[in-house]
Amino acid sequence: MRCSVKKSEFLYGKIKVPPDKSISHRAAILSAISEGKCIIRGYSQSSDCASTLECIQKLGVPVSKKGESLVIEGVGRKGFNAEGITLNAGNSATTMRLLSGVVASMEGAEITITGDESLLRRPMMRIIKPLSMMGARIVPSDESGHPPLVVRGANLKGIDYTLPVASAQVKSAILVAGLRAEGKTTVREKVKTRDHTERMLRYMGAKISEDRNVVTVEPSTLRSVEIDVPGDFSSAAYLISAALITPGSSIEISDVGLNPTRTGFLRLAQKMGARFWINLSDSENFEPRGSIKSEYSKLRAVEIRPEDVARAIDEIPLIALLASQAAGVTTIRGAGELRYKESDRISGTVEGLRRMGADIVETDDGMVIRGPSQLKGCEVFPQKDHRLAMMFAVAALIAEGSTLINDWEWTRVSFPGFESAISALGAVVNII
Ligand code: S3P
């Protein structure tokens, strides 16, 4: 599927974004191991979160719908009924990494977990190593640790582990395994990554303590809860960026997650001169949420340092786009992790934005962008990566003529209906 987007005059309006993908994955997985019935309101309809639901159902967890909510009946202490099952995590590394952590801690369970072509290229040694230190038995398909993974559950022992790469998925895989391990499990981070797992574990009654970048869990059972999923900040970032770069625009996004470990993009955009206003809501239900209004802004270049990256990891391609419209030279350093996402997002961003007329070069662990440049419409190739496809669609709003974006169907991985969202705000979009 392809999407053509025309240069836009201005975007205007108030809109909601789909529910948060990261929080939805955790809500489904932690509910699946809770003691009782959990209700999730606003579970993400993304294909990634559908993969998580399919996997937990295959593991014997009853999932049903009640109106707009999901009801998940946790298996609790007895664990999953899982021997010789193959799970398919699709495009979702969060599904694969977190579920591997859970299954690894269940003595008697044995699963194979696989995924699509992109997921089979993603690095898994980062979870295999700490989970094996805890006593898990996980066999990857090759020496570099690629999936499919065969995970055999065992009685685990807690560890004290410092993450060598900043990754909330790895941290979460270790913490969920720690819920059934003997003794304490501690994860230390050099840079704090998104803390959705920690917040949800605490909300569900787990024994968890945190001291800045160090988090410890002890063996715990999780109580049944009701979870309200806020809008996805990473999805909102596309619409915020659209307002910032399209002259005359003003967009308000309501009920979006504003967890500070996720909103690094806002701090970086603010340094670039972005104009936005946040209204925090009172009813936060363990995750801060609120509305953000953003307007067209004159942007200036910024220096993105390695320590800025973790909290804006999924938004770095958007920062590159903003930088192409900002006065001066923007450098992005310490973003090498982007090469291990659904695609190599450093080369994909640079290749596509350069095609559109940006002055951008690739470095080993980042990019250098000189702005401002007038972008021009052309054909772009997002490498089956949802985040690149949507970033190019935002770039297309200010590119002369029209832009043809390939692989459009992949936007369903995180933001089903992205084309309707931007067209409701005034963009001229055609699906071909
Ligand atoms: C995610 C964490 C990040 C992010 C991904 C979702 C999560 O990955 O890029 O889109 O839900 O924990 P890493 O933890 O591998 O950096």
Side-chain angles (χ1 to χ4, degrees):
M1 192 189 284
R2 301 197 291 176
C3 180
S4 120
V5 181
K6 284 210 170 103
K7 182 172 179 188
S8 179
E9 287 205 343
F10 63 86
L11 290 117
Y12 184 83
K14 189 169 173 177
I15 196 162
K16 269 187 92 159
V17 287
D20 191 277
K21 181 160 84 70
S22 280
I23 297 175
S24 294
H25 283 302
R26 287 156 172 82
I29 293 170
L30 297 183
S31 296
I33 55 169
S34 74
E35 305 280 335
K37 264 189 196 165
C38 291
I39 296 177
I40 307 174
R41 279 187 287 273
Y43 185 79
S44 165
Q45 310 254 334
S46 64
S47 59
D48 266 11
C49 292
S51 297
T52 290
L53 277 191
E54 261 173 50
C55 289
I56 61 169
Q57 281 177 292
K58 250 189 145 174
L59 288 166
V61 177
V63 177
S64 56
K65 273 202 151 180
K66 192 174 168 200
E68 296 290 287
S69 304
L70 272 188
V71 181
I72 299 186
E73 290 179 45
V75 295
R77 287 213 157 272
K78 73 178 186 324
F80 296 140
N81 173 14
E83 243 201 279
I85 292 176
T86 296
L87 302 179
N88 190 341
N91 194 242
S92 173
T94 309
T95 309
M96 181 171 282
R97 292 185 175 133
L98 269 62
L99 277 179
S100 296
V102 175
V103 173
S105 69
M106 290 179 178
E107 162 93 300
E110 190 200 309
I111 60 153
T112 300
I113 184 158
T114 188
D116 71 7
E117 188 198 330
S118 149
L119 188 53
L120 296 183
R121 288 194 303 262
R122 310 275 304 265
M124 292 298 149
M125 214 44 114
R126 53 184 64 194
I127 57 157
I128 297 175
K129 188 173 168 223
L131 292 173
S132 304
M133 285 164 66
M134 295 175 84
R137 292 163 300 161
I138 302 181
V139 184
S141 81
D142 62 21
E143 279 176 7
S144 328
H146 291 110
L149 306 178
V150 177
V151 184
R152 290 191 193 87
N155 287 322
L156 304 184
K157 280 203 164 50
I159 51 168
D160 187 326
Y161 191 71
T162 302
L163 291 185
V165 281
S167 166
Q169 293 176 358
V170 177
K171 169 175 64 176
S172 303
I174 301 170
L175 293 178
V176 292
L179 293 174
R180 292 171 81 103
E182 196 188 310
K184 291 185 178 179
T185 299
T186 297
V187 182
R188 297 171 195 271
E189 299 186 278
K190 289 174 197 142
V191 191
K192 179 93 179 157
T193 60
R194 64 188 69 189
D195 66 357
H196 301 307
T197 304
E198 294 91 308
R199 284 172 184 265
M200 202 175 288
L201 283 175
R202 183 170 307 110
Y203 179 62
M204 295 179 82
K207 290 182 197 141
I208 176 165
S209 60
E210 278 177 89
D211 182 13
R212 274 177 291 181
N213 295 359
V214 183
V215 51
T216 300
V217 288
E218 289 179 55
S220 309
T221 50
L222 303 180
R223 66 184 175 98
S224 64
V225 290
E226 295 190 9
I227 296 171
D228 259 315
V229 183
D232 194 314
F233 179 78
S234 298
S235 299
Y238 295 94
L239 306 180
I240 297 169
S241 303
L244 296 178
I245 62 173
T246 315
S249 298
S250 171
I251 298 177
E252 184 174 342
I253 301 158
S254 53
D255 197 26
V256 59
L258 292 169
N259 178 324
T261 60
R262 277 292 286 287
T263 52
F265 167 78
L266 288 180
R267 282 184 290 276
L268 300 176
Q270 192 167 35
K271 281 194 190 163
M272 300 178 86
R275 294 188 307 142
F276 58 84
W277 297 266
I278 291 178
N279 202 347
L280 267 176
S281 132
D282 299 333
S283 61
E284 63 170 58
N285 182 252
F286 77 86
E287 283 282 351
R289 59 211 285 167
S291 63
I292 311 176
K293 185 175 174 190
S294 50
E295 282 183 5
Y296 173 69
S297 307
K298 281 250 169 288
L299 300 175
R300 53 182 179 269
V302 69
E303 192 192 333
I304 313 282
R305 300 155 307 167
E307 59 271 30
D308 297 323
V309 172
R311 288 179 181 209
I313 184 76
D314 292 336
E315 289 70 61
I316 298 293
L318 280 172
I319 292 286
L321 168 61
L322 298 187
S324 77
Q325 301 310 303
V329 177
T330 293
T331 49
I332 302 176
R333 290 182 299 118
E337 265 299 296
L338 289 185
R339 296 199 185 276
Y340 304 102
K341 296 293 177 187
E342 286 83 329
S343 72
D344 176 341
R345 287 188 181 151
I346 294 182
S347 65
T349 299
V350 170
E351 202 270 331
L353 287 180
R354 187 183 292 150
R355 221 173 235 276
M356 295 182 79
D359 180 347
I360 179 167
V361 292
E362 181 173 341
T363 62
D364 274 356
D365 66 347
M367 308 164 217
V368 180
I369 309 113
R370 183 185 294 274
S373 303
Q374 172 61 58
L375 301 185
K376 53 182 197 305
C378 62
E379 185 174 3
V380 286
F381 303 90
Q383 317 293 336
K384 300 184 178 171
D385 185 324
H386 57 127
R387 301 217 180 273
L388 293 188
M390 293 188 283
M391 183 272 285
F392 293 140
V394 176
L397 298 169
I398 54 161
E400 291 299 343
S402 77
T403 302
L404 188 59
I405 303 150
N406 285 280
D407 298 337
W408 190 253
E409 64 277 20
W410 290 88
T411 56
R412 312 282 183 267
V413 161
S414 64
F415 198 154
F418 181 69
E419 62 278 3
S420 313
I422 54 173
S423 81
L425 294 166
V428 181
V429 182
N430 266 304
I431 299 294
I432 304 162

